[in-house]
Amino acid sequence: MTKKRVLTGVTTTGIPHLGNYVGAIRPAIAASHAPDTESFLFLADYHGIIKCHDPELIHESTQAVAATWLACGLDPEKTTFYRQSDIPEIMELNWILTCITAKGLMNRAHAYKAAVQENLDKGQEDQDHQIEMGLYSYPILMTADILMFNAQEVPVGRDQIQHVEMARDIAGRFNHRFKEVFTLPEVKIDENVELLVGLDGRKMSKSYGNTIPLWENDKKTQKSVNKIITNLKEPGEPKQPDESPLFEIYKAFATPAETAEFTQMLAEGLAWGEAKKMLAAKINAELAEPRERYSALTANPAQIEDILQAGAQKARQQARVLLDQVRDAVGIRALK
Ligand code: ADP
Ligand code: TRP
């Protein structure tokens, strides 16, 4: 039986939060346990240095993200688990793909367009003011991550759909121009999960400092949850699910039956304070065991490093084979 290849990564620019967990880590780990899949899970530290220029944070976050995956149930025996920067083949592939990627495609990338829009909104004459090439070329590096292992399925949050589509586009272009080397990847979105909203009402993101962190104790989690925006409705007043982002977070941690019950309770006037207690209790229950494993792992970083090095070795063996095919396809090969 040929197994389905599933691949995803997390950038190392902060301590993982509920959005990362619900949108990426939990579904990827669930998929990695399926007998018919082969998983590739990695720390995107070269993506990290695009947005984050604080070396200490990159370093700390690499440890935190690695410990997070392991604490959440990743089995390094079953999964190829590695750090992007330990696989130099990815950077080689990144360049080759850069040479075939249309500039116009990159002009349309959301992150770049948002940066341009910010300049225009500020009245900057140069629309590319302070935009670096790393940001501009970000989708090409992500494409290299995905194509390096011929991933068939890429589970990500909704904000990343465009990048996976670009990876398909670039893979198709390479196959057409040179040789059928690459598998066209497909994006996989967990249909039950919306993009979680953060404490300030924007997308929950490390970059916005509006997250509910994963690895806090029960009390601190309750404190974070208490900061979720609600409205001024009093206890006893009927409330609708869309009146606060707390509903979507609850849904992400509850069964459909529990979610239906929660909706009913809100409609019957459940106080926001009580709803927040119910939410924190759900989060804390699901994370109790992973939190214990996380503490043990972070107390022993050398053990995490060993796991990553073993993963890199496994990954590089495969990466080399594909990269040799790619180099050959573009005409880079030994003279004989
Ligand atoms: P951040 O925005 O916090 O920097 P990353 O860009 O590192 O997060 O995203 C890592 C993974 O987590 C991606 O697959 C992304 O789509 C997912 N993700 C990030 N934020 C959220 C969110 N608020 N809700 C659901 N998934 C998310
Ligand atoms: N760009 C992704 C994010 O910010 C992280 C990432 C890097 C990734 N390379 C990837 C995700 C390859 C999936 C596949 O969320």
Side-chain angles (χ1 to χ4, degrees), residues 8-11 13 17 19-20 22-24 51 138 155-160 193-197 203-207:
T8 198
V10 179
T11 44
T13 50
H17 54 79
N20 300 142
V22 161
K51 282 186 252 169
Y138 180 111
V156 283
R158 287 171 199 280
D159 59 319
Q160 297 293 317
V193 175
E194 293 302 321
L195 208 51
L196 291 195
V197 169
K203 171 194 127 115
M204 190 183 291
S205 171
K206 286 169 287 209
S207 334

Side-chain angles (χ1 to χ4, degrees), residues 7-11 42 44 47 51 84 138 142 145-146 154-156 159-160 163:
L7 175 144
T8 198
V10 179
T11 44
F42 70 96
H47 276 107
K51 282 186 252 169
Q84 185 185 36
Y138 180 111
M142 185 154 156
D145 291 329
I146 296 170
V154 183
V156 283
D159 59 319
Q160 297 293 317
H163 294 149

Side-chain angles (χ1 to χ4, degrees), residues 1-6 29-39 78:
M1 178 178 66
T2 48
K3 294 188 173 184
K4 184 171 65 189
R5 287 206 161 186
V6 179
I29 288 177
S32 78
H33 290 300
D36 60 342
T37 61
E38 190 182 359
S39 303
K78 278 202 208 136

